[in-house]
Amino acid sequence: DTGVSQDPRHKITKRGQNVTFRCDPISEHNRLYWYRQTLGQGPEFLTYFQNEAQLEKSRLLSDRFSAERPKGSFSTLEIQRTEQGDSAMYLCASSPRKQGEMDTQYFGPGTRLTVL
Amino acid sequence: RKEVEQDPGPFNVPEGATVAFNCTYSNSASQSFFWYRQDCRKEPKLLMSVYSSGNEDGRFTAQLNRASQYISLLIRDSKLSDSATYLCVVNEGTAGNKLTFGGGTRVLVKP
């Protein structure tokens, strides 16, 4: 499967714990995005990378959230001191280099986080 | 006001019928537009891009009205498998090409 992959698919944690999610984009896609989706809502942008550089962060991304893409390939999203309000689906997307296709984003299956 | 607004539905559609719904966007500088489909507890999947001249892909037709800032999707000859949430998506043309999603319109096709 050459699509975007995310791991884990599900995570249940207790309030106050730290969690880390991983995203592997489609090979050679230089842009990688993180979104969050809560029940009944559309996905909301969190942050994006072009290669290894994190170029934009939403105000939704509090200080407890940090994302990295150290080698410009896979990315990790860490949430520290989780709160019940962090419960959501965390979606990763990537987009290709090709001119004209640059803004077509392909989504991974998501990581569903439940904070108890 | 939300940046991208959609009627949440649900639109209950008899199999074989036609259904159409719109979304409105607030940023007149928005550059590109899409419809994504999302099945329950799955990731969004690109259904089609929306071009200024309108475009068709099989039973699906998308239209863009820049003057009134709305996008429409029409589904002809609805199939049971068309039951899903349809997300209206706008790229506002920022450097990062981030997407802004509407809340989705739920469509239920019934036999």
Side-chain angles (χ1 to χ4, degrees):
Chain A
D1 187 349
T2 57
V4 178
S5 62
Q6 292 186 245
D7 182 69
R9 296 290 303 277
H10 304 275
K11 179 70 177 178
I12 300 173
T13 191
K14 292 183 179 178
R15 190 176 53 186
Q17 297 296 305
N18 299 344
V19 294
T20 300
F21 310 142
R22 175 176 169 130
C23 170
D24 287 86
I26 294 172
S27 180
E28 298 185 354
H29 279 195
N30 64 335
R31 290 195 172 189
L32 185 150
Y33 303 79
W34 286 99
Y35 293 84
R36 181 175 70 186
Q37 186 174 24
T38 53
L39 200 61
Q41 304 296 317
E44 296 175 293
F45 171 80
L46 292 179
T47 188
Y48 99 95
F49 293 82
Q50 180 160 307
N51 300 312
E52 66 276 8
Q54 186 175 20
L55 297 184
E56 189 173 348
K57 293 196 290 186
S58 162
R59 58 182 167 74
L60 293 175
L61 215 64
S62 75
D63 291 345
R64 296 184 297 105
F65 288 70
S66 61
E68 294 183 342
R69 194 183 183 196
K71 297 182 181 179
S73 56
F74 73 91
S75 175
T76 58
L77 177 68
E78 181 183 15
I79 310 173
Q80 296 181 326
R81 305 181 303 283
T82 52
E83 301 173 357
Q84 288 183 324
D86 296 332
S87 296
M89 174 79 91
Y90 289 84
L91 292 160
C92 177
S94 67
S95 65
R97 293 179 192 276
K98 286 184 184 178
Q99 194 67 28
E101 290 188 44
M102 205 162 114
D103 58 358
T104 301
Q105 295 181 22
Y106 300 89
F107 283 81
T111 294
R112 185 170 296 280
L113 174 65
T114 302
V115 182
L116 302 175
Chain B
R1 183 185 172 189
K2 287 186 178 178
E3 295 172 58
V4 180
E5 294 203 55
Q6 295 184 249
D7 181 340
F11 285 64
N12 293 299
V13 185
E15 192 176 8
T18 296
V19 61
F21 41 89
N22 297 336
C23 91
T24 58
Y25 60 94
S26 61
N27 186 348
S28 59
S30 297
Q31 294 192 352
S32 51
F33 309 88
F34 308 88
W35 284 103
Y36 276 72
R37 171 195 169 125
Q38 188 170 31
D39 294 298
C40 188
R41 303 180 79 85
K42 299 283 189 180
E43 75 273 23
K45 292 187 177 178
L46 179 65
L47 178 67
M48 58 197 304
S49 302
V50 186
Y51 303 120
S52 296
S53 55
N55 49 301
E56 189 174 307
D57 183 0
R59 298 180 293 107
F60 297 83
T61 300
Q63 296 280 352
L64 168 63
N65 186 317
R66 283 191 183 270
S68 301
Q69 293 180 209
Y70 77 81
I71 306 147
S72 65
L73 181 67
L74 182 146
I75 307 173
R76 286 185 301 277
D77 187 24
S78 298
K79 310 291 184 192
L80 297 176
S81 58
D82 294 333
S83 297
T85 296
Y86 291 85
L87 297 163
C88 176
V89 186
V90 173
N91 180 329
E92 297 183 350
T94 59
N97 283 321
K98 71 179 185 184
L99 300 179
T100 301
F101 286 78
T105 294
R106 192 168 170 216
V107 172
L108 296 172
V109 181
K110 299 187 175 179

